[in-house]
Amino acid sequence: MKSKPGRPAVLVDVAVLAGVSTMTVSRVLNAPERVRAETRARVLAAVKELDYRPNQAARQLVTGRSGVLGVVSIDTTLYGPASTLYCIEQAARHAGYNVSIASLSSLNRRSMEEGMQRLRAQAVDGVIIVAPHESAADGLRHLPPEMPVVAVDAGDDIPVPVAKVDQRAGAARATKHLLSLGHETVRHVAGPADWLDANDRIEGWRGVLESAGRPVPEILRGDWSSRSGYELGRRLAEDPEVTAVFVANDQMALGVLRALGEAGRRVPEDVSVAGFDDIPEAAYFWPPLTTVRQDFGAVGRYAFHMLLDRMAGAEPEARRLVEPELVVRESTGPAPRRVSRA
């Protein structure tokens, strides 16, 4: 069934096409967690086919909700935070919610309060805060108590539920992989000191080396950019003892690969390199990059459903960790043989 030419689709049109009651359609749009997945998918398919657009003013009168969720995020084009933001937005829109985004230049208490004020003025039903910086912790401890809030990529000592990728587990898997290839130890090019993910990856890397009784080299700090990876890679290339490098993101790994190549250090024959993120270009680096893949889609879905729980008055689990996946490609290989000296 199509809506009549010249008029927009209404709720009953969606119900007839999906073969359900209007009440079920309303539940899918307003409380999707209460509807079976199969029914929800059928209703959302009908919504898409008919290009049905709920009347937000009427919806708010009936449910007491605006149908709008807020997202507070740092203003960045970095792959991880940008992908997280996109997946949160997709999860919300798929369930019939509109999304209002407050992009901030920094994540301190004052800026987060300003971002929350902007969203509260729009009568959002709840807020997801993408908080990958150490500086966000203070702001997360001083949120308005009446607003349902969930955080993504935040620290462990905050009073709101958190969904995040298990960064330590990902770093540990990359480090274990390199040790399993016979490398005596693994150098680490880390991210900026104020990023929680960067510090968690350091902990995962260091923990594996310490447990294995291997030397723990001094870390090298980059700023997530390929340029910083290149500059630090030039330093690593000068050290003939370096045979394995775990880099905290793929962009910096790209710079490390170039620096090693320019210095005549072959990858992986002389030096193995592993990254983190599995950006779309990682499989097309030369050589293709071994890296840790983060499931941003799962993080977005978990954060969204945790927020729905809070909006419904329930208390979701305090922490939801998403397991990362090690993707092995051609940039890692067996440790080079040491030539014995007579």
Side-chain angles (χ1 to χ4, degrees), residues 52-126:
Y52 171 68
R53 303 184 183 216
N55 184 315
Q56 295 297 337
R59 179 182 187 177
Q60 187 167 5
L61 285 173
V62 172
T63 65
R65 295 181 178 180
S66 65
V68 180
L69 301 181
V71 178
V72 175
S73 178
I74 188 170
D75 185 9
T76 181
T77 58
L78 287 171
Y79 178 73
S83 298
T84 301
L85 180 59
Y86 172 78
C87 291
I88 291 170
E89 185 176 15
Q90 289 298 104
R93 292 192 185 280
H94 184 71
Y97 284 87
N98 290 322
V99 177
S100 180
I101 299 172
S103 295
L104 308 178
S105 58
S106 62
L107 281 176
N108 53 45
R109 179 177 174 180
R110 180 176 177 180
S111 66
M112 287 176 65
E113 287 176 348
E114 292 173 352
M116 291 292 290
Q117 288 174 1
R118 284 158 50 190
L119 294 173
R120 293 175 73 186
Q122 299 174 52
V124 298
D125 297 326

Side-chain angles (χ1 to χ4, degrees), residues 180-199:
S180 74
L181 295 170
H183 298 278
E184 175 63 21
T185 191
V186 178
R187 297 298 302 267
H188 183 43
V189 176
D194 62 336
W195 281 73
L196 294 164
D197 288 353
N199 294 325

Side-chain angles (χ1 to χ4, degrees), residues 8-29:
V10 295
L11 195 72
V12 69
D13 298 328
V14 177
V16 171
L17 181 58
V20 299
S21 68
T22 55
M23 183 177 293
T24 298
V25 175
S26 180
R27 283 176 180 164
V28 169
L29 297 177

